[in-house]
Amino acid sequence: MEDTEPLRYHPADIEQRWQQRWLDDGTYEIDNDDPRESRFVLSMYPYPSGPAHIGHVRNYTFGDLLVRYNTMQGRGVLSPIGFDSFGLPAENAAIKSGEHPRPFTDGKIEELSSSLRRIGAVYDTRRTIKSHDPAYMKWNQVFFQKFYEAGLIYRTEAPVNWCPGCHTVLANEQVVDGLCERSDDPVEKRNLEQWFCRITAYAQELLDDLDDLEWPDRVKLMQRNWIGRSEGAEFGLPIAAADGTARSDVEPLMVYTTRPDTSFGMTFAVMSPEHPRVDELTTDDQRPLVEAFRQEVANRSEIDRLSTSGEITKRGIATGSHVVNPFTGKPIPVFLADYVLITYGTGAIMAVPGQDQRDWDFAAAYDLPIVRTVAPPDDFDGEAFTGDGPAINSEWLDGLEVTEAKAKAIDWLVDQGIGEHKINFRLRDWLFARQRFWGCPIPMVYCQNECGIVAVPEDQLPIVAPDDVEFRASGENPLLHHEKFLNTTCPNCDGPAKRETDTMDTFVDSSWYFLRFCDPWNTDEPFDRAAAEKFMPVDQYIGGIEHAILHLMYARFFTKALADLGYTPKDLREPFERLFTQGMVRMGGSKMSKSKGNTVAPEDFINDHGADSLRLAILQAKPPAEDVDFEDFQLEGCERFLNRVWRLAATDPELIKNIRSGATTATDNEIDAAAHRLIDRVTGEYERWAYNTAVAGFMEFTNTLYKYVQSDEGANDETLSFAVDTLLRLMAPAVPHISAELWAMRHDDEHIHELTWPTADPAKLVVSEVTMIVQINGKLRDRIDVAAEITESDAEAMAMASPKVQAQLDGATPKKVIVRAPNLVNIVA
RNA sequence: GCCCGGGUGGCGGAAUGGCAGACGCGGCGGAUUCAAAAUCCGCUGCCCGAAAGGGCGUGUGGGUUCGACUCCCACCCCGGGCACCA
């Protein structure tokens, strides 16, 4: 029977054994006083949804390779894992089954951990943390209160996004095209009193600090767009009296613009339908129409309102009142329009149809005057002109270019005392609370006497939701009906108080977990400052592009806020020094998901073929940053390759028949040099995430060794031994089980992952002979083997002497000869 | 609309101004075998040619260069992000 053949590769036998040994030996545990140079390698906090899917496997394979590679480089690598275990799926399951989310979640964590272990991913398992662990929740709650004290968290009424499907409010970042990113339900705008986090206080720093991060440009760009800084002027438009003159007895209407230079072309003004001064600025004869318009806008869904289609005349209405353009002194009408947003700037704009296409369309529909204030080029045939050019029709701005005109207009506004230079951000404050059960409770109470909102004292934290709750089909938070939880006493006055039943957005949990990993045992503090100083920032963060905005923005904000609150060193401004965003695994072109039923179970493959084959196939398939289709994994080829390595390294006598000892031949030396070149190559490829070509390198070298051992000359024992050992050491981070097993077989149970990374002998990287290519007019005509140190003139002479060149030239004299000795000669004929 | 990323054999991909197609998959042929699987070896961009050899070839068109998959300009197609932000 083949199965009993000792030299066969049987992954199932060896993988479990090595996984156990890595745990037992604590190979990847690191203490806080570890003397080695430290490296923090982290894969994004996974939501525990059950056994790993193929996307997880890809992500954690890349992370694991880096952990093992850096460890072999002699660094002390912090490689922790945790579980982002709060969230809606567990609560929705609870609603269906009636079972509490905790056992459900613990079960999923068990499944995911076991999968990670089975793919050979190694962690310091002593440091594992979970969001729903009260020991972790406590610090969320402490931070909430510190933020509240510092004014970074506040409670206010505001128009917020409400998802009826998830029965909770959502952050702006969780609304995609007017739909809930989780449930795809249309999101409604509701005016609710809510907890907000003042992330906008850090808007400028969040923007500036992007510059120094080694992150993909794409992610930085997405963050910049999301923060959306714009620079301009905010100023008042005086309300016009009946005769068109400016009234000084009422507040002017404030507007924000990025183009103060075009103010002379302002021929009307527009307010958001939700603007608080609409009533005041509506004339009696227009009031019925304005009211109808506001009602109509209020009834329209967010998605309708976002759509750019639809009759422009249906999108606005005149208020009947006028304001004065302070630049021209002339009265201009005030409109309402649904495209002006109450949440941005002042909720009112000056309209300059000559320089803004939307204003142009509106002006055309309402027959309003259009005045150009920037001269378009002669060949311009469009409508609104948004480009640069000299100012016209603008009195004292005429002739100035846009930049100068802006500055002068702002100076004038300041001189007149009616406006100022103003920077605006698109970024909004983070809506921090959710009306759901399975999250971290917000540690505040509402005093029924006079104290108002009161923080629960730290010695009473963490507040953990009770287990005896009844889940409702509506998704309504069961805490609302749990009298025992709800009713408490005010920490201030001992009077009756109601507990806050909202929980924190689960993005809070993932906003500082990397800091907790530095010191997860701490019971007195969220983490020790010195521990954070030692390991932070994360040297290499790995995760999906889908977190480009949400998680990465919140974690950056938390890091800055915690530094300013003194939890971390003041200069720790950024959590993730280097970010790598790996591509997604797709099935037949579409994203894999459980609901589409197109997932493949990595566990099944591992059972039959082993984790190393799967890891290798993932590494080989595509550059890590790119999306990959599961069908493109070449699982059989990779398994075949590992078998080839096995036969070679286990010295299968059928394969290796002809072994010599003693002095080395030219062939032996070439094999030896190839091994050194491979070290050089693979090291570079690991450094730059070129894992697919590193795998190609392993395969090429193995092919070379196969030819070597099967040649008539045979293989030198020492040369072969070094070559195979080198191959195993280079493969150890990529396919850890087979590499470890073969190394232990060959080296008396030595542990390959505790060895240091091989280094190439520079002397052996020098080549003595190269293939010089000879071109005529850039086309390849001949190849000649030459000495590496050949002179330019010798190279040219050899090229010219080539019979193929002579035949092509056919007696003609070359116009010019380009020589790049020893690699190339190009003859220009 | 604006902003990114990409377009290379039958397929996944390699090649950071110098041999296009490394490596793998697939295909074809051979060895081994009673036979098959497995394994090992060889060939495999397209066209012409018996061969030697030649021509063509990296989305399209132009440009820079002795030389372009690579740099520049324009366009086409695919993927992604932002999208009434004043």
Side-chain angles (χ1 to χ4, degrees):
Chain A
M1 279 285 288
E2 282 172 347
D3 278 3
T4 57
E5 219 179 288
L7 291 173
R8 274 299 175 95
Y9 168 48
H10 292 299
D13 299 345
I14 62 173
E15 292 188 349
Q16 278 202 6
R17 206 169 67 241
W18 280 100
Q19 287 154 13
Q20 193 59 48
R21 177 152 174 198
W22 294 321
L23 280 179
D24 293 346
D25 289 3
T27 315
Y28 294 93
E29 288 176 5
I30 179 171
D31 293 328
N32 283 10
D33 59 0
D34 190 290
R36 293 171 293 178
E37 180 201 352
S38 81
R39 262 316 139 91
F40 192 169
V41 177
L42 185 62
S43 295
M44 284 180 186
Y45 205 38
Y47 179 81
S49 52
H53 57 69
I54 193 72
H56 283 123
V57 179
R58 189 170 188 226
N59 193 186
Y60 294 101
T61 296
F62 297 146
D64 188 62
L65 187 152
L66 271 181
V67 168
R68 293 176 185 274
Y69 170 70
N70 274 289
T71 303
M72 291 178 81
Q73 287 279 8
R75 302 180 182 118
V77 180
L78 175 58
S79 168
I81 184 79
F83 301 95
D84 191 12
S85 49
F86 273 135
L88 270 181
E91 188 169 344
N92 289 339
I95 291 167
K96 260 193 184 159
S97 69
E99 191 195 14
H100 194 279
R102 184 176 302 106
F104 175 86
T105 301
D106 287 338
K108 296 291 184 191
I109 288 176
E110 202 36 62
E111 289 174 344
L112 180 54
S113 303
S114 143
S115 285
L116 293 178
R117 181 187 148 140
R118 296 201 58 209
I119 64 175
V122 284
Y123 302 101
D124 183 345
T125 47
R126 304 168 307 164
R127 293 179 187 257
T128 299
I129 62 179
K130 301 162 193 177
S131 295
H132 74 294
D133 181 350
Y136 187 74
M137 289 162 63
K138 173 177 175 175
W139 303 113
N140 275 347
Q141 295 175 348
V142 168
F143 289 151
F144 185 96
Q145 294 178 349
K146 298 287 180 201
F147 280 25
Y148 183 63
E149 280 167 33
L152 285 174
I153 284 179
Y154 60 95
R155 192 169 166 82
T156 193
E157 189 184 299
V160 297
N161 307 301
W162 174 266
C163 173
C166 299
H167 210 274
T168 183
V169 298
L170 301 172
N172 286 319
E173 291 81 355
Q174 290 169 303
V175 181
V176 178
D177 292 335
L179 304 177
C180 170
E181 61 144 13
R182 175 167 289 281
S183 68
D184 279 349
D185 288 304
V187 169
E188 300 164 9
K189 277 279 178 212
R190 290 196 181 177
N191 261 320
L192 294 172
E193 193 174 288
Q194 284 292 328
W195 293 104
F196 288 91
C197 183
R198 209 180 295 280
I199 190 170
T200 52
Y202 288 87
Q204 187 67 53
E205 198 191 328
L206 286 165
L207 183 68
D208 293 341
D209 290 354
L210 285 171
D211 294 345
D212 298 324
L213 296 177
E214 287 180 55
W215 285 21
D217 287 342
R218 190 161 59 124
V219 177
K220 293 208 238 183
L221 191 75
M222 283 164 75
Q223 292 224 345
R224 283 194 189 101
N225 288 341
W226 191 261
I227 295 167
R229 182 186 194 272
S230 76
E231 204 167 343
E234 189 172 303
F235 63 99
L237 307 178
I239 311 301
D243 65 354
T245 58
R247 285 171 63 177
S248 53
D249 56 330
V250 279
E251 283 292 304
L253 178 65
M254 298 305 288
V255 293
Y256 172 73
T257 180
T258 54
R259 294 296 301 273
D261 59 303
T262 65
S263 300
F264 283 95
M266 176 202 326
T267 53
F268 58 103
V270 189
M271 299 165 79
S272 161
E274 294 90 354
H275 197 286
R277 295 184 69 184
V278 171
D279 273 343
E280 176 201 339
L281 295 177
T282 299
T283 57
D284 289 339
D285 53 325
Q286 282 297 100
R287 200 168 301 278
L289 289 170
V290 166
E291 280 311 313
F293 176 71
R294 293 181 79 185
Q295 199 52 51
E296 199 255 317
V297 171
N299 288 340
R300 226 178 310 152
S301 74
E302 199 59 3
I303 207 162
D304 268 5
R305 195 166 162 181
L306 281 173
S307 105
T308 39
S309 60
E311 278 292 303
I312 188 92
T313 48
K314 298 234 173 74
R315 305 192 63 195
I317 190 92
T319 62
S321 64
H322 290 72
V323 291
V324 174
N325 178 343
F327 287 79
T328 60
K330 290 183 189 154
I332 55 172
V334 179
F335 285 78
L336 302 188
D338 66 351
Y339 68 78
V340 176
L341 308 176
I342 188 63
T343 45
Y344 187 76
T346 62
I349 61 161
M350 68 173 208
V352 186
Q355 265 70 235
D356 183 299
Q357 188 59 45
R358 203 180 30 199
D359 293 345
W360 179 291
D361 295 340
F362 199 88
Y366 288 90
D367 207 18
L368 297 159
I370 295 171
V371 179
R372 286 195 190 280
T373 53
V374 177
D378 292 341
D379 58 351
F380 181 72
D381 63 351
E383 298 179 331
F385 175 66
T386 54
D388 282 3
I392 52 171
N393 301 323
S394 298
E395 299 181 14
W396 40 269
L397 291 175
D398 281 352
L400 293 179
E401 290 295 319
V402 172
T403 315
E404 293 92 335
K406 274 186 191 174
K408 195 165 176 189
I410 293 172
D411 286 347
W412 183 84
L413 287 166
V414 173
D415 278 352
Q416 299 289 306
I418 55 174
E420 59 181 8
H421 174 244
K422 175 93 179 185
I423 291 161
N424 255 320
F425 293 95
R426 212 188 69 116
L427 182 72
R428 301 295 143 71
D429 277 343
W430 174 12
L431 180 40
F432 211 69
R434 296 292 180 273
Q435 287 69 51
R436 297 301 303 233
F437 172 80
W438 190 235
C440 182
I442 287 176
M444 305 300 260
V445 301
Y446 300 93
C447 176
Q448 305 293 89
N449 291 336
E450 318 268 272
C451 308
I453 299 172
V454 181
V456 177
E458 190 171 326
D459 60 15
Q460 292 175 31
L461 301 182
I463 292 170
V464 180
D467 284 355
D468 57 339
V469 286
E470 205 182 305
F471 294 96
R472 288 157 196 263
S474 67
E476 194 183 24
N477 187 344
L479 291 178
L480 287 165
H481 305 280
H482 194 285
E483 296 299 323
K484 221 176 128 204
F485 177 82
L486 216 49
N487 296 307
T488 183
T489 52
C490 171
N492 236 5
C493 69
D494 270 342
K498 294 276 183 198
R499 277 193 198 281
E500 173 62 86
T501 56
D502 282 1
T503 52
M504 298 181 206
D505 183 358
T506 55
F507 278 106
V508 175
D509 306 313
S510 52
S511 289
W512 69 281
Y513 75 108
F514 41 89
L515 287 161
R516 183 70 181 170
F517 277 143
C518 299
D519 189 22
W521 306 281
N522 206 320
T523 51
D524 301 329
E525 295 173 279
F527 47 85
D528 176 51
R529 227 181 112 98
E533 201 160 1
K534 175 182 169 75
F535 292 116
M536 288 293 291
V538 174
D539 295 284
Q540 181 67 65
Y541 200 39
I542 305 161
I545 187 79
E546 66 272 19
H547 293 110
I549 294 172
L550 290 143
H551 161 59
L552 291 170
M553 189 79 80
Y554 296 145
R556 295 182 62 218
F557 158 71
F558 249 75
T559 302
K560 292 173 190 301
L562 291 177
D564 288 339
L565 290 171
Y567 283 99
T568 52
K570 191 87 186 161
D571 60 356
L572 180 64
R573 307 309 297 182
E574 286 290 337
F576 314 124
E577 182 73 38
R578 225 166 284 119
L579 170 70
F580 188 88
T581 49
Q582 93 280 4
M584 282 184 302
V585 181
R586 299 171 182 278
M587 278 298 281
S590 68
K591 188 182 170 178
M592 302 226 320
S593 73
K594 269 197 182 156
S595 58
K596 289 193 183 120
N598 58 359
T599 51
V600 275
E603 305 257 346
D604 293 346
F605 182 86
I606 292 172
N607 286 341
D608 298 341
H609 308 276
D612 284 334
S613 291
L614 183 58
R615 289 172 64 119
L616 195 71
I618 284 168
L619 294 172
Q620 187 219 25
K622 269 209 171 187
E626 287 175 34
D627 287 354
V628 58
D629 215 292
F630 181 74
E631 286 131 42
D632 295 331
F633 288 154
Q634 319 216 315
L635 294 157
E636 310 82 4
C638 288
E639 192 178 8
R640 198 175 300 164
F641 166 75
L642 291 181
N643 272 300
R644 278 165 72 84
V645 173
W646 184 275
R647 283 193 295 275
L648 191 65
T651 57
D652 180 350
E654 286 297 307
L655 176 68
I656 302 173
K657 294 175 175 159
N658 192 1
I659 289 288
R660 298 173 274 116
S661 308
T664 58
T665 65
T667 313
D668 300 336
N669 295 341
E670 181 40 45
I671 293 292
D672 195 53
H676 282 272
R677 284 199 300 273
L678 188 70
I679 295 171
D680 193 52
R681 167 179 175 175
V682 170
T683 306
E685 285 169 333
Y686 278 172
E687 291 289 342
R688 61 186 175 91
W689 292 75
Y691 302 142
N692 53 334
T693 53
V695 173
F698 302 149
M699 290 176 170
E700 271 172 59
F701 190 60
T702 302
N703 292 344
T704 302
L705 293 183
Y706 262 63
K707 288 199 186 75
Y708 179 53
V709 298
Q710 293 177 101
S711 66
D712 293 342
E713 191 190 333
N716 178 285
D717 53 358
E718 281 180 29
T719 305
L720 180 64
S721 181
F722 174 76
V724 172
D725 282 352
T726 298
L727 178 66
L728 293 177
R729 287 166 81 156
L730 297 176
M731 292 195 340
V735 281
H737 313 88
I738 188 174
S739 311
E741 180 71 12
L742 287 168
W743 189 273
M745 268 169 54
R746 293 164 62 85
H747 295 278
D748 201 18
D749 209 33
E750 222 177 56
H751 186 178
I752 194 169
H753 293 103
E754 288 171 356
L755 301 180
T756 53
W757 193 248
T759 47
D761 178 352
K764 292 192 174 162
L765 295 178
V766 178
V767 285
S768 58
E769 195 176 70
V770 296
T771 301
M772 180 174 80
I773 59 168
V774 182
Q775 299 176 329
I776 295 177
N777 295 330
K779 278 200 195 324
L780 176 77
R781 292 302 174 191
D782 202 2
R783 298 184 174 92
I784 307 172
D785 286 339
V786 299
E789 60 275 9
I790 191 169
T791 63
E792 298 223 330
S793 54
D794 286 354
E796 180 173 344
M798 284 187 76
M800 292 306 297
S802 154
K804 287 178 184 167
V805 168
Q806 286 303 323
Q808 280 286 328
L809 283 179
D810 197 22
T813 320
K815 291 195 189 93
K816 196 172 171 185
V817 180
I818 310 283
V819 184
R820 294 282 179 274
N823 296 312
L824 172 135
V825 173
N826 186 18
I827 298 159
V828 187

